[in-house]
Amino acid sequence: MQDEVYHYNKERWEALVGAEALFTRPMLDLDAEKAQAYLGLERLGIPGDLAGRKVLCLAGGGGQQSAAFALLGADVTVLDISSGQLERDRLAAEHYSVGIRTIQGDMRDLSALDDSSFDLVWHPYSLTFVPDSRIVFREVARVVDEGGYYYLMCANPFFSGLTHHSWNGEGYTLKHPYTDEAATCYPDQDWVYDRKPSGRHIREPLEYRQTLSRIVNSLIREGFMLRLLSEVRGDDPGAEPGSWAHFTGVAPPWLEFVWQYCPASSEGAGVWGQG
């Protein structure tokens, strides 16, 4: 699905890899204990017995989550739009002497993957990079096994497009209609990549709002059952108004979902499914 959205995201992420952005740096200091803590599976209610489990890191390249799952014994596949990000996964795999399968592609097209082939689909922040989340959810439903889990982290749709720069002296002002697929574009936070000393500038992220009702109802229709919803927020009550720390405490910018695939035909499936 190499449309304008695909090319924009691919170009941007290759540039972020070149800038050594935060999300492109492979984790090369992990052990099993650190990997468990990083993934937070216990907090999320996802079974921690990963040995031999098939895990898909969806739009999750960079050698971070993939390395953690592989260290815990999972059979890991990474699908990502960026060849540079996938190279970081291969670097991590070589560093830890583990196997990680890498596939370059679009999260909206998982045709390279077999039906019902994953116990866990791990989808870090990327859903808002495509206009229609329903296409992604249909693909996830096809490749996850019955009883398997889908971890999804995404933008909090109520605050889509807002940043700490939206501070008006009294609050963070909502200005745009709350509609699906509304495009937003805003500067990367300072901590995403180093702009000095070259004055480097990378195209801003182009994101599309996914309303909460579309996310939840679409996944229910695909046969998923909600197991956990978490609002990721800041925790600095003394933060200065108009700062990033203050903004994240007032307007939680991210949501985490844990879904379990339980289509009507699979009632009574085990924790990890019947396979």
Side-chain angles (χ1 to χ4, degrees):
M1 191 175 289
Q2 295 190 12
D3 55 9
E4 184 177 347
V5 171
Y6 175 93
H7 290 294
Y8 189 100
N9 287 324
K10 185 175 185 298
E11 178 184 325
R12 173 174 153 76
W13 277 96
E14 299 297 7
L16 287 169
V17 171
E20 297 288 336
L22 179 66
F23 315 112
T24 72
R25 305 169 195 163
M27 290 185 169
L28 303 179
D29 61 347
L30 294 172
D31 55 25
E33 184 177 357
K34 290 179 180 178
Q36 283 279 12
Y38 168 62
L39 295 171
L41 299 180
E42 183 176 356
R43 173 182 66 84
L44 297 170
I46 297 175
D49 54 332
L50 293 174
R53 296 298 178 183
K54 296 186 181 298
V55 175
L56 170 64
C57 294
L58 180 58
Q64 300 176 1
Q65 295 98 348
S66 64
F69 281 116
L71 277 172
L72 296 175
D75 180 350
V76 182
T77 299
V78 185
L79 185 140
D80 197 275
I81 202 168
S82 163
S83 60
Q85 282 284 78
L86 295 173
E87 181 58 35
R88 303 295 169 91
D89 291 288
R90 290 189 285 270
L91 175 64
E94 182 179 357
H95 176 79
Y96 292 113
S97 298
V98 296
I100 295 175
R101 178 189 180 199
T102 59
I103 301 173
Q104 185 174 3
D106 190 314
M107 72 181 95
R108 297 171 294 175
D109 179 7
L110 305 185
S111 57
L113 305 172
D114 293 335
D115 293 359
S116 306
S117 54
F118 294 97
D119 299 299
L120 170 62
V121 176
W122 188 271
H123 193 174
Y125 190 100
S126 63
L127 184 68
T128 49
F129 297 150
V130 299
D132 191 346
S133 58
R134 295 170 296 184
I135 299 171
V136 180
F137 298 153
R138 283 195 292 270
E139 290 292 280
V140 172
R142 184 182 64 77
V143 303
V144 72
D145 199 7
E146 294 182 2
Y149 288 83
Y150 176 36
Y151 167 83
L152 171 65
M153 183 183 189
C154 63
N156 187 330
F158 297 113
F159 307 123
S160 179
L162 284 183
T163 72
H164 60 295
H165 296 299
S166 304
W167 176 255
N168 65 8
E170 295 183 355
Y172 301 95
T173 306
L174 292 170
K175 301 177 183 178
H176 304 293
Y178 184 68
T179 57
D180 278 305
E181 302 184 29
T184 62
C185 199
Y186 53 87
D188 283 304
Q189 302 303 319
D190 292 340
W191 40 262
V192 173
Y193 65 92
D194 186 6
R195 291 153 175 80
K196 298 180 291 187
S198 64
R200 184 196 307 266
H201 178 72
I202 295 171
R203 298 175 75 180
E204 297 175 342
L206 178 59
E207 301 192 11
Y208 303 88
R209 176 183 277 124
Q210 315 289 333
T211 62
L212 186 61
S213 57
R214 173 179 279 189
I215 292 171
V216 171
N217 292 328
S218 297
L219 283 163
I220 289 172
R221 281 193 292 270
E222 293 295 341
F224 287 93
M225 180 181 296
L226 183 61
R227 294 299 190 187
L228 178 137
L229 169 60
S230 174
E231 298 157 309
V232 184
R233 68 191 73 183
D235 185 22
D236 185 357
E240 180 180 356
S243 67
W244 176 253
H246 183 266
F247 169 73
T248 59
V250 172
W254 305 296
L255 299 178
E256 287 181 306
F257 297 90
V258 176
W259 298 87
Q260 190 173 18
Y261 189 51
C262 302
S265 62
S266 65
E267 289 186 18
V271 171
W272 281 110
Q274 299 174 344

